[in-house]
Amino acid sequence: MLPQEKLRIGYVPEHFATPLHFAYTKFGLSEHVTLQSFPSGTGTMIEAFKESRIDVAIGLTEAWVAGLAKAGALHPPQNAQQMPYHILSAYTLSPLRWALSTGAERNDIPSVEGLKGKKVGISRYGRYVVLYSSILDPKILAEMIFSGSHIMALVLADQKGWLSRPEDPPFEFVVCGPFASLRQAVNDSSADFFMWEHFTTKRYWGNGELKRIGEISTPWNAWHIAVRGHGETDSRVSEQIIPALRRGCKLFNNSRSEAADYITANMEYDLEDFHEWYDEVSFPDELGSPNQQGLEAAVRSLKKAGVIENSLDVSWTSLLGARSS
């Protein structure tokens, strides 16, 4: 009998991946999977799912939900097999803090209230170049692969009441790429601000590169695990990946010092930032089930922000695949 090919796991190389690192190096996950890093974020992993380049991924809840809602709107599935991926399990229970940053010397960007009409840098927009005035067209939305930095800019605009007039867009979106390119963009003025995870950004406020202008938190748990395909893939994830990840999460939850050693050595964190983040992040001791309350909160917020067409009925089959039945 030929050995099974290893499953391919996509992940964002940030501190949230620490339980995945523990699972891979300490609990046998390396026997079953290869790891593929996606520094540009969840949007590029959605494209990788569509192109069959990965089998499993750990990504932002809002991006998974938006991508599946759009896929279901354009091609309403007769069955779960038609969706490019489905959500299998929550990966964190805590929300994500999105920091708003600009260049350290950008005195023209003093506060959040002055951001309306400015250029927001995002890591990824979509396969096709579209104007903001097209965002209310669900057919165009369905072709777009959303990134978290794009979605959260719209959530910010909604919270500020800047989405009431479609003919008056809140921002000009500028695709910059990964985190390093976003930092460069706000310093060379090709973008005015961008949004990224608080603790990943924090060190750049102190080194003279960036200036903090505010932050918002997601009203849903930050990360979910998504899977391409069904049947055998789901079974292998449940049997080979989830048990190792569960042990990785438990090690993280029970050994602050080991998590601190890994993150401070590999993520350019100091201990003060690590302890602040560790005290607020929550990984589940038990994996394998999605956070339905978090997914419902994401759908509500994304509809309100115009990321998902308000009239669209987002089914649990679209989000969870065969597991919803």
Side-chain angles (χ1 to χ4, degrees):
M1 181 176 177
L2 294 176
Q4 289 180 313
E5 289 189 8
K6 291 185 176 183
L7 294 173
R8 301 158 296 176
I9 298 183
Y11 72 102
V12 182
E14 294 178 358
H15 44 299
F16 288 94
T18 302
L20 175 65
H21 167 77
F22 288 163
Y24 190 81
T25 58
K26 298 176 182 293
F27 300 122
L29 187 60
S30 60
E31 298 175 12
H32 305 293
V33 309
T34 59
L35 301 182
Q36 296 186 22
S37 172
F38 288 81
S40 292
T42 310
T44 54
M45 291 191 286
I46 293 176
E47 183 165 302
F49 271 134
K50 289 175 177 287
E51 297 173 352
S52 301
R53 291 187 283 115
I54 56 174
D55 305 296
V56 186
I58 299 171
L60 293 174
T61 299
E62 60 269 25
W64 292 146
V65 169
L68 287 169
K70 297 304 170 259
L74 186 62
H75 303 294
Q78 300 302 313
N79 57 63
Q81 302 288 343
Q82 292 181 259
M83 302 302 285
Y85 60 91
H86 62 279
I87 296 170
L88 182 76
S89 173
Y91 179 67
T92 62
L93 301 177
S94 48
L96 193 69
R97 292 169 64 183
W98 285 84
L100 286 72
S101 300
T102 189
E105 305 301 322
R106 294 290 300 276
N107 296 325
D108 57 320
I109 311 291
S111 69
V112 175
E113 301 306 321
L115 295 179
K116 189 176 186 301
K118 299 296 186 180
K119 295 180 290 186
V120 55
I122 59 177
S123 62
R124 186 173 187 81
Y125 199 12
R127 284 184 183 273
Y128 303 108
V129 178
V130 298
L131 299 175
Y132 177 80
S133 59
S134 297
I135 280 184
L136 298 181
D137 183 339
K139 293 181 181 178
I140 293 179
L141 271 175
E143 295 298 329
M144 295 173 63
I145 298 174
F146 285 96
S147 66
S149 56
H150 173 204
I151 290 170
M152 291 309 297
L154 291 171
V155 172
L156 169 69
D158 174 62
Q159 290 182 1
K160 293 297 181 182
W162 296 340
L163 290 177
S164 57
R165 298 172 58 200
E167 71 278 8
D168 181 24
F171 312 118
E172 176 186 347
F173 292 100
V174 180
V175 178
C176 301
F179 184 44
S181 300
L182 288 162
R183 300 198 311 270
Q184 179 180 339
V186 293
N187 279 292
D188 66 20
S189 296
S190 54
D192 294 315
F193 77 102
F194 71 91
M195 301 176 67
W196 208 258
E197 195 272 333
H198 171 91
F199 290 99
T200 304
T201 313
K202 185 178 178 182
R203 66 183 297 268
Y204 297 96
W205 300 328
N207 72 357
E209 186 173 346
L210 297 177
K211 176 174 67 175
R212 179 185 181 277
I213 50 178
E215 74 173 50
I216 62 174
S217 293
T218 59
W220 51 78
N221 62 307
W223 301 85
H224 269 84
I225 300 168
V227 178
R228 182 180 68 86
H230 297 270
E232 182 183 351
T233 303
D234 269 5
S235 296
R236 290 185 63 189
V237 170
S238 297
E239 294 169 5
Q240 299 173 354
I241 295 178
I242 293 299
L245 265 180
R246 185 180 295 126
R247 295 179 71 185
C249 288
K250 286 186 176 180
L251 177 59
F252 179 92
N253 290 337
N254 296 330
S255 182
R256 179 189 288 253
S257 61
E258 192 157 359
D261 289 345
Y262 173 71
I263 290 175
T264 55
N266 294 278
M267 306 286 179
E268 298 182 319
Y269 264 53
D270 60 32
L271 272 175
E272 179 183 355
D273 286 349
F274 166 78
H275 288 303
E276 183 182 352
W277 172 69
Y278 188 92
D279 286 339
E280 65 182 49
V281 72
S282 175
F283 290 94
D285 284 332
E286 296 298 327
L287 293 167
S289 299
N291 183 329
Q292 183 169 334
Q293 184 177 1
L295 295 176
E296 289 173 342
V299 170
R300 286 195 302 271
S301 292
L302 297 182
K303 283 187 172 185
K304 193 164 181 281
V307 175
I308 298 174
E309 179 70 15
N310 194 52
S311 61
L312 182 64
D313 181 18
V314 181
S315 70
W316 288 113
T317 299
S318 295
L319 298 181
L320 308 183
R323 292 168 60 90
S324 65
S325 56

